[in-house]
Amino acid sequence: MVFVSRAATPSYCIRHDTIFRHSFDGSNVRRRPCFAVSPSSWDSAKKAWRGRSMIVAASPPTEDAVVAAEPLTKKDLVDYLASGCKTKDKWRIGTEHEKFGFEFGNLRPMKYEQIAELLNGIAERFEWDKIMEGDKIIGLKQGKQSISLEPGGQFELSGAPLETLHQTCAEVNSHLYQVKAVAEEMGIGFLGIGFQPKWGIKDIPIMPKGRYDIMRNYMPKVGSLGLDMMFRTCTVQVNLDFSSEADMIRKFRAGLALQPIATALFANSPFTEGKPNGFVSMRSQIWTDTDKDRTGMLPFVFDDSFGESIIVLLQDFLAGKLPCLPGELPTLNDWENHLTTIFPEVRLKRYLEMRGADGGPWRRLCALPALWVGLLYDEVSLQNILDMTADWTPEERQMLRNKVPITGLKTPFRDGLLKHVAEEVLQLARDGLERRGFKETGFLNEVAEVVRTGITPAEKLLELYHGKWGQSVDHVFEELLY
């Protein structure tokens, strides 16, 4: 979630406009406030360190920083998204997951000093490059993998784009091995769950990243749960490719329509500050009151005119007319940064992010990409999903978004329950994986039991809480320990 980063000026602000359908004449664009951000240099981002590079400032999200010699146009923004198009043989799978670090002795969240020791230990033992902000280590990079910190110290792996689910799951296992090898020596464990089950916001250490100070001040102005999102949630998501604008639209629509089913299958956040919170996915519920201008189900994606009107306009910024940066012209890096400040259930960059699932134990970290690869990377399954959901109304899609965090697969839908839709969806995912020919269907086993019983992972945790755990949430730190 990078805001912006530029070294040319003492501060940097960007007008954040709302992503929604609009005409290319610039009408109907709502405004968001500017944010002033402390700069960090990308041009001087590396220096020698023990025979390999040490990244001394947050790396730009694109591989090469782009300098705006000429003003960017709307066509440049469209072309940037279009540059993500790949032929099917080059489609890859990118999995990201977050987890909570805690001290074994008292279950308290890791402090930044412990996180820094952990990052340094992983870097030195397993040859990762360090990512620094000033003199603070804030992440690691190795090839196309990166480790980063969310605002409350949630430890995130952003995996490399890989060809098969076997490779993806092996990457997750390798990462967890490396993290545990260093963390266990420090008395630190990691928890796979969607929402911090025991501690309040006041108990969560704040990471030393400048943009998180900005977000912490901004979020309470646009929703009541933004700070919970920042400091107390963890997710797993998969990033998938498309071959063309038409292919992107089909996958975007299928992904949005089915996102509540993914939320239900992976619902794993039923506790807040030691007690049941009334939700199976508190993490998902939090996004409903974080910033309504940047979140949600994007009903315009299902409009026939969607492909003609997909760009978020930053008119003043494009023209160099921001009051706090007069004459400053944006780069494509700025555009990419802007895209990371919107948080819908499916997010478009140069790939599509499926964002509806809670964090969970390692088998679920492999199951989530398996579900979406089976559905979206197989033409037959994708078409079947589009046919299945074609007559779902915007109201029905929003109803599922609103109710699934509470009732999971037991959510009523038309003449049955969401469980019945999930049964068909799971079969389509399995069929899609079979046709891929990589023997990947076993990765769906973790969610097959959820679909069969209709009982979400959160409901199983609640059963344990009210049973053998004796209403103590502390046991979840052992139950969901990586």
Side-chain angles (χ1 to χ4, degrees):
M1 303 191 302
V2 180
F3 271 73
V4 285
S5 181
R6 285 276 293 276
T9 56
S11 67
Y12 189 60
C13 77
I14 181 168
R15 186 177 299 282
H16 296 280
D17 298 316
T18 306
I19 181 167
F20 63 101
R21 188 168 66 83
H22 56 77
S23 59
F24 276 143
D25 64 6
S27 60
N28 299 326
V29 178
R30 288 187 284 175
R31 301 299 185 190
R32 301 301 301 164
C34 287
F35 296 107
V37 180
S38 299
S40 62
S41 171
W42 287 340
D43 297 329
S44 59
K46 293 186 177 180
K47 67 180 181 181
W49 178 72
R50 292 193 181 180
R52 55 186 189 273
S53 63
M54 178 180 179
I55 302 175
V56 296
S59 297
T62 50
E63 290 185 2
D64 298 301
V66 181
V67 178
E70 299 293 334
L72 287 177
T73 66
K74 284 178 282 188
K75 181 178 183 300
D76 294 325
L77 307 187
V78 175
D79 288 347
Y80 168 82
L81 295 174
S83 70
C85 295
K86 297 178 175 66
T87 57
K88 186 171 183 177
D89 62 301
K90 291 184 172 60
W91 289 355
R92 295 296 181 262
I93 306 161
T95 304
E96 303 179 23
H97 80 272
E98 301 160 352
K99 48 199 169 292
F100 295 108
F102 65 94
E103 299 178 16
F104 281 129
N106 56 24
L107 306 182
R108 285 192 169 275
M110 294 176 69
K111 305 176 184 68
Y112 171 71
E113 293 73 20
Q114 294 168 311
I115 291 174
E117 181 182 348
L118 176 60
L119 289 171
N120 281 312
I122 294 171
E124 291 162 10
R125 193 175 303 188
F126 299 104
E127 297 189 341
W128 289 69
D129 294 331
K130 299 180 183 182
I131 301 174
M132 309 294 291
E133 185 166 297
D135 61 352
K136 303 289 188 182
I137 184 169
I138 59 168
L140 302 172
K141 186 172 180 62
Q142 186 181 79
K144 294 186 177 181
Q145 299 179 77
S146 64
I147 295 171
S148 58
L149 303 179
E150 290 300 299
Q154 302 97 315
F155 214 73
E156 178 177 3
L157 172 70
S158 297
L162 301 170
E163 185 175 1
T164 74
L165 292 165
H166 299 285
Q167 295 167 347
T168 293
C169 202
E171 176 188 64
V172 169
N173 289 338
S174 174
H175 167 74
L176 293 176
Y177 167 78
Q178 292 181 12
V179 170
K180 288 174 64 176
V182 179
E184 287 181 352
E185 296 174 358
M186 301 169 52
I188 296 296
F190 280 90
L191 177 67
I193 199 168
F195 188 77
Q196 167 58 249
K198 184 175 176 68
W199 303 104
I201 290 178
K202 68 182 187 305
D203 302 307
I204 309 294
I206 299 169
M207 297 300 104
K209 299 176 74 169
R211 61 191 173 94
Y212 292 159
D213 289 335
I214 299 160
M215 293 172 65
R216 190 176 59 188
N217 293 327
Y218 172 73
M219 286 299 178
K221 300 175 183 177
V222 293
S224 66
L225 299 176
L227 295 181
D228 288 297
M229 178 276 292
M230 289 177 62
F231 293 104
R232 297 204 286 180
T233 62
C234 281
T235 188
V236 54
Q237 70 178 52
V238 65
N239 306 324
L240 298 175
D241 291 316
F242 44 81
S243 61
S244 64
E245 179 180 0
D247 185 47
M248 177 275 292
I249 292 172
R250 296 171 78 234
K251 288 173 176 171
F252 209 154
R253 289 173 175 169
L256 275 173
L258 296 188
Q259 211 60 218
I261 290 179
T263 298
L265 292 177
F266 293 85
N268 191 42
S269 47
F271 304 116
T272 299
E273 296 179 27
K275 303 293 183 183
N277 54 33
F279 298 91
V280 294
S281 179
M282 184 63 185
R283 182 209 59 83
S284 181
Q285 178 65 19
I286 280 169
W287 281 109
T288 66
D289 194 9
T290 292
D291 183 345
K292 295 185 187 300
D293 284 341
R294 301 166 191 266
T295 60
M297 290 290 285
L298 307 184
F300 65 85
V301 170
F302 297 87
D303 292 350
D304 291 340
S305 59
F306 171 56
E308 302 170 3
S309 54
I310 196 171
I311 298 299
V312 182
L313 291 181
L314 292 85
Q315 286 184 307
D316 291 347
F317 194 33
L318 282 172
K321 294 181 179 179
L322 285 185
C324 53
L325 282 177
E328 287 289 323
L329 299 176
T331 70
L332 286 178
N333 282 122
D334 299 324
W335 171 231
E336 185 169 36
N337 286 336
H338 179 72
L339 293 176
T340 70
T341 67
I342 53 178
F343 313 108
E345 294 295 284
V346 176
R347 180 161 62 184
L348 172 64
K349 296 182 180 176
R350 287 186 290 185
Y351 45 83
L352 286 167
E353 298 178 350
M354 304 293 124
R355 296 170 45 84
D358 285 1
W362 76 268
R363 288 186 185 276
R364 274 180 242 153
L365 302 183
C366 303
L368 188 277
L371 176 72
W372 289 113
V373 167
L375 295 172
L376 302 186
Y377 272 9
D378 176 75
E379 180 60 33
V380 175
S381 290
L382 175 57
Q383 187 58 52
N384 282 333
I385 290 298
L386 292 170
D387 292 342
M388 176 197 305
T389 61
D391 66 345
W392 292 11
T393 66
E395 293 76 18
E396 285 176 320
R397 292 192 298 267
Q398 189 60 47
M399 178 277 293
L400 290 176
R401 173 67 186 90
N402 293 341
K403 291 188 175 181
V404 161
I406 304 169
T407 49
L409 290 174
K410 297 180 178 64
T411 303
F413 185 69
R414 295 191 172 180
D415 58 351
L417 299 176
L418 192 61
K419 172 184 183 295
H420 304 133
V421 182
E423 290 170 348
E424 187 173 354
V425 169
L426 179 63
Q427 187 57 53
L428 290 173
R430 184 178 285 115
D431 292 345
L433 292 180
E434 285 279 6
R435 283 187 286 267
R436 270 171 56 86
F438 293 118
K439 301 186 183 299
E440 298 167 317
T441 57
F443 293 112
L444 291 173
N445 291 345
E446 187 69 12
V447 293
E449 180 68 9
V450 178
V451 172
R452 187 186 69 80
T453 62
I455 299 172
T456 64
E459 290 167 294
K460 289 188 175 182
L461 294 176
L462 288 167
E463 182 181 352
L464 289 168
Y465 173 85
H466 290 293
K468 70 177 186 178
W469 290 359
Q471 298 190 351
S472 170
V473 79
D474 290 2
H475 296 277
V476 78
F477 288 84
E478 180 179 359
E479 181 74 18
L480 297 180
L481 176 69
Y482 283 110

